[in-house]
Amino acid sequence: QVQLVESGGGLVQSGGSLRLSCAASGSPFRIYAMAWYRQAPGKQRELVAKITNVGTANYADSVQGRFTISMDNAKNTMYLQMNSLKPEDTAIYYCGALGTQWSWGQGTQVTVSA
């Protein structure tokens, strides 16, 4: 079982930036992919970005060009650099990691004010 801890959320003005981190731990494990999902109040959880352990990344259309996902395999840590934030990016952001199965973090709140 992989344990995940997210950090980096907070309150930012529209147009600002935040960087989320997700640290994975647990032994023994190998991570094949990691992802960020988000859930806004009253909405379903949606995929934000996903990255494999060889660096292949995918993004939701709504964040393409604004967000960048990356993974440091040596540190088992994933990052999400979020630029040009909009109020509609406000949500709880969840980190996921695929080992023998998907594991999830507790989430970190991102709030973007207008």
Side-chain angles (χ1 to χ4, degrees):
Q1 186 75 15
V2 177
Q3 290 81 47
L4 302 170
V5 178
E6 301 107 330
S7 60
L11 172 64
V12 65
Q13 290 186 333
S14 181
S17 299
L18 283 173
R19 189 175 84 150
L20 305 183
S21 299
C22 174
S25 62
S27 179
F29 71 97
R30 179 178 177 180
I31 294 175
Y32 298 94
M34 297 186 78
W36 288 99
Y37 280 73
R38 67 185 182 188
Q39 187 165 20
K43 295 187 177 180
Q44 292 187 331
R45 189 175 295 194
E46 63 175 357
L47 175 67
V48 176
K50 180 180 178 180
I51 188 167
T52 69
N53 61 353
V54 295
T56 302
N58 302 98
Y59 298 91
D61 290 343
S62 59
V63 306
Q64 182 77 46
R66 299 188 297 123
F67 290 10
T68 302
I69 190 171
S70 61
M71 192 160 82
D72 185 332
N73 290 324
K75 296 181 179 179
N76 289 317
T77 300
M78 174 179 64
Y79 305 95
L80 184 69
Q81 178 66 44
M82 305 186 294
N83 298 327
S84 302
L85 283 161
K86 304 175 181 179
E88 50 263 44
D89 294 318
T90 295
I92 299 175
Y93 284 69
Y94 297 92
C95 163
L98 177 62
T100 57
Q101 61 185 22
W102 278 99
S103 299
W104 301 98
Q106 294 299 306
T108 184
Q109 176 70 47
V110 171
T111 303
V112 184
S113 62

